[in-house]
Amino acid sequence: MKHNKAQELEVLEWLNTKQDISLEKLKGKIVLIYVFQMLCPACVAHSIPQSKKLFKRFLNEDIVILGLHSVFEHHDVMSPQALKVFVDENDIGFPIAIDLSVEKDFMPATMKKYNMQGTPTLLIIDKESKIRMHAFGLVNDLDIGLLLGKLLEEKKD
Amino acid sequence: MKHNKAQELEVLEWLNTKQDISLEKLKGKIVLIYVFQMLCPACVAHSIPQSKKLFKRFLNEDIVILGLHSVFEHHDVMSPQALKVFVDENDIGFPIAIDLSVEKDFMPATMKKYNMQGTPTLLIIDKESKIRMHAFGLVNDLDIGLLLGKLLEEKKD
Amino acid sequence: MKHNKAQELEVLEWLNTKQDISLEKLKGKIVLIYVFQMLCPACVAHSIPQSKKLFKRFLNEDIVILGLHSVFEHHDVMSPQALKVFVDENDIGFPIAIDLSVEKDFMPATMKKYNMQGTPTLLIIDKESKIRMHAFGLVNDLDIGLLLGKLLEEKKD
Amino acid sequence: MKHNKAQELEVLEWLNTKQDISLEKLKGKIVLIYVFQMLCPACVAHSIPQSKKLFKRFLNEDIVILGLHSVFEHHDVMSPQALKVFVDENDIGFPIAIDLSVEKDFMPATMKKYNMQGTPTLLIIDKESKIRMHAFGLVNDLDIGLLLGKLLEEKKD
C-alpha cells in the first residue's frame, strides 16, 4: 500500500502558537489535524471534545494535535475574529490554522488541495509525512487508537 | 409563596415566527424561555439539545418553547446575522427572540430587567404569566418535568 | 378518566425494610414500583440506575420508591439469595419485595394479577392508591417528572 | 522491557465454543481476556458492553476476545448455571471460560496464579503469548486501541 505525502497547509494565520507551524518541520512526529468549522454542529458536539481529549492525553508524546478552520460557507460569520472567541470560549489549547480563502464563498485553499468533502474531517499523518487517515465525519476513539498505536510502532526509514 | 409576574421581553427581532410574540398574548399557556448565547459552550452542549427535545415533545400541548439570544460579550461575532446561521445549522424550529442591546458591550435589555446571571438561563412561566423557575446553569429533565407537570395541573384562576 | 385502584402486592419477603410494607399503609403518598429481574439487561442498565437516582432525589418528599423482583423465568438462578447479593452489590437502598411464586416456572402472583408484560415495568400509584402509570419498557426522566409533578399537585379528596 | 509469558488458564468449563481453547493454541494471535463476575456492577455496566463491541469489531481479524468468569465471592449465586443464563440474556457471543475454583470461598485458580486484584480485569496478550496489559478496573477504548495497533504492527520473531 502506498500512501501519499501530506501536502503543506495553506494558512492565513495561526492561533495558539508563537511561531508558524509546517508539516515539514513536524517530520518525525505523528500529526492529527482536526478540520472543522466553528458553526458545524457535529464538529462542536464530537470533534472538538475529542481533539481536546487527545491533546491532553498525548501532551508528552510525539503526537501533535492541530486544528484547521476551513470555512466553505457563511464566511462573514465565521471570521478569524469570531474563531478567536470560539477558541477562547471552548478552551482549546492546541494550535489552530485558519485555512486560506482566496475568494469569498469558495472553498479555502487547503481544503481544496486535499479534496476534502466537508467538516468535520480528520487527517492523520505519519512520521514520514504520509497521509494515513483522511476521514470525513466522526471517527471513534478505538479506531484512532488502533492507527496511532500502529504508527507509533513503525520505524522511521 | 408569591411569584412575580414575568416582565415582557425586549426584542430587537424575532426569528422562526411570522408575527411577533409577547408574553401577554401567551397568557393561558406555559412558556419555557431558553436564554443562550450562540458561542456559550454549555448552551450548545446542553441547553440547545434539551430545548429542541422539549419543543418536539410538547408540539401539541399548551407548552411553548422560546429562545432568547442575550449577548453580553463579543457582540461583533454574535450578531443577528451570525445567529441566523447558527439557528439554521442547528435546525432549531421554535421562535427565537434577539434580546435588545441598547449600547454595545452592555447587558441587553431583557437580561438586565430580569437580573440574569449569565447564560444558559432557563425561565419557566405559568399560565398566569408568573415566573416559576429562573435557573442559571443546567437544569435536568426530571426537574423540568416535575415543574411542568405541576403547572399543567394548576387551574387558571 | 377513571383509574383503577392498585391491587395489593403479593410478597414472599421484603428486603431493605424492618417491617412489611403495604400499599394500604402508603395511602396519601405517591408510590413508584420498579418491577425487575436481576438478570434482565435493560433493568440493570436503565431501570436500576434510574430508581436509585429517584430514591436519592425524593428522600425527603412524599414519594416512595419500591422495587418488585418478579421472576418469570430462570427461577433457580434468580433466587432470593441471589437477589440479596445483587441488591448489596448494586447498593440499592430502597425496599424491595420478592414477588410470590406459587409454582416454579410460572408467572409470580403480583405480576399475574397486574397483567404485566415483562420486565422492566414501572408502576406509578397516586395518593388515592390509583394506578396512574403502568409502563412496560424504559420510561424517560422527563415523562416521570411530568406525572410526578401532576400527582404532587393533585389534592386528596 | 521484558514481558512475562501468559500462563495457561485453569478452566472448569468453556461456554460458547465447541472445543476447549488454550493460550498455547492461540499463539500468533492477539488475545483479550475480560475477567469478570456476573454480579459485579462495573463489569456489567462497562466491561461486558465493551467486550461485545470489540468482539464485533474484530471478528475478521487476528484478535481474539475471551471472557473469564472468576468468582471470588458469593459462589452459590454465581454458579455455572447462573452464568449460562447471564451469557444468554446478555447475548454474549465469544467464548467464556469458567475459572476453576478449588475450594469454595477461595480465589479461583487462574485469578490466583495471575495475582489479580479483582474484577473487572483486562488482560491483553501478544502474538508471542506475552502479557502486555494487566489492568484492574476500567480501560478506555483509546488505550485499548493504542495497544492493539502496536501489537498488530509488531513482527513475530
Side-chain angles (χ1 to χ4, degrees), chain C residues 129-149:
Chain C
S129 299
K130 286 179 179 155
I131 300 172
R132 301 298 286 271
M133 180 185 283
H134 177 158
F136 173 54
L138 311 184
V139 185
N140 65 46
D141 285 1
L142 181 66
D143 287 325
I144 291 176
L146 280 166
L147 180 54
L148 293 182

Side-chain angles (χ1 to χ4, degrees), chain B residues 57-82:
Chain B
R57 172 70 178 75
F58 295 122
L59 259 187
N60 300 310
E61 301 191 39
D62 275 353
I63 296 178
V64 173
I65 312 292
L66 300 177
L68 177 66
H69 195 234
S70 293
V71 179
F72 60 92
E73 55 185 359
H74 310 300
H75 296 72
D76 287 348
V77 301
M78 292 192 274
S79 63
Q81 184 194 359

Side-chain angles (χ1 to χ4, degrees), chain B residues 54 57-58 141-146 148-150 152-154, chain C residues 54 57-58 141-146 148-150 152-154:
Chain B
L54 296 183
R57 172 70 178 75
F58 295 122
D141 285 1
L142 181 67
D143 287 324
I144 291 176
L146 280 166
L148 294 182
K150 178 182 167 68
L152 283 166
E153 184 64 15
E154 288 180 351
Chain C
L54 296 182
R57 172 71 177 74
F58 294 122
D141 285 1
L142 181 66
D143 287 325
I144 291 176
L146 280 166
L148 293 182
K150 178 182 167 67
L152 283 166
E153 184 64 14
E154 288 180 352

